[in-house]
Amino acid sequence: MHCTTQTFNLCYGHRLLGETGKPSQVHGHSATVILTLQNTTLNERGQVYPKTKVEETIGSWITNDLDHSLILCNTDPLLPALNSLNERVYVMHENPTEENLARLIYTRATGYGLPVESVEVWDTENTRAIYTRDPEETENTDA
Ligand SMILES: [Zn+2]
């Protein structure tokens, strides 16, 4: 099995609904996203997947949609005020935990056809959330 990883920087703000203390306050992270791609075979250029295609798809989406955004749940009471001020907000249907961010990025990357094995979101140097491919999922061999 062949694996490659690509790393992306992700600066974002969020707050977690249902929490108390610091996580419930708007705060920011300078996170690292590690995307792991996996395939049993290599393409004609000897790659798991072309790195330029990764940059053009999920890398571009992370940069343009998530990076330097405030990421909030769609039920967050801050949303109407921020929207009226035209603040940059990315709205999720779930609480914007690192776990849900990892799954969001995984889902987006697989939607682009990338053979994703896992997505890690390191929100601090000590903590990370990982979302991995469901073993029942069929492997994507498009490259
Ligand atoms: Zn946080």
Side-chain angles (χ1 to χ4, degrees):
M1 189 64 77
H2 298 279
C3 290
T4 60
T5 63
Q6 242 165 300
T7 301
F8 305 92
N9 297 320
L10 174 60
C11 294
Y12 67 95
H14 73 163
R15 73 174 186 163
L16 303 180
L17 300 179
E19 292 279 348
T20 57
K22 290 182 179 178
S24 69
Q25 302 298 314
V26 174
H27 64 279
H29 291 279
S30 184
T32 300
V33 174
I34 301 174
L35 178 75
T36 299
L37 304 179
Q38 185 178 53
N39 218 330
T40 53
T41 59
L42 300 177
N43 67 16
E44 67 282 355
R45 285 167 279 171
Q47 301 169 307
V48 169
Y49 201 83
K51 290 182 179 10
T52 54
K53 283 190 177 179
V54 177
E55 288 290 343
E56 290 168 3
T57 56
I58 194 65
S60 187
W61 180 75
I62 289 171
T63 299
N64 295 326
D65 287 59
L66 294 183
D67 193 41
H68 285 80
S69 288
L70 183 58
I71 303 173
L72 296 176
C73 181
N74 63 349
T75 59
D76 194 303
L78 286 176
L79 269 179
L82 292 167
N83 285 336
S84 72
L85 295 169
N86 291 321
E87 287 293 323
R88 182 179 162 94
V89 180
Y90 186 91
V91 180
M92 294 180 66
H93 294 287
E94 304 85 17
N95 217 9
T97 61
E98 283 68 30
E99 292 89 336
N100 282 329
L101 277 174
R103 184 176 58 204
L104 173 73
I105 295 166
Y106 176 95
T107 301
R108 182 61 71 139
T110 55
Y112 286 123
L114 277 61
V116 186
E117 175 58 25
S118 67
V119 172
E120 299 177 34
V121 175
W122 288 80
D123 61 325
T124 73
E125 63 185 36
N126 299 318
T127 60
R128 66 178 163 160
I130 308 170
Y131 190 84
T132 60
R133 181 197 329 222
D134 182 330
E136 300 299 314
E137 276 183 68
T138 56
E139 186 172 321
N140 184 337
T141 54
D142 292 345

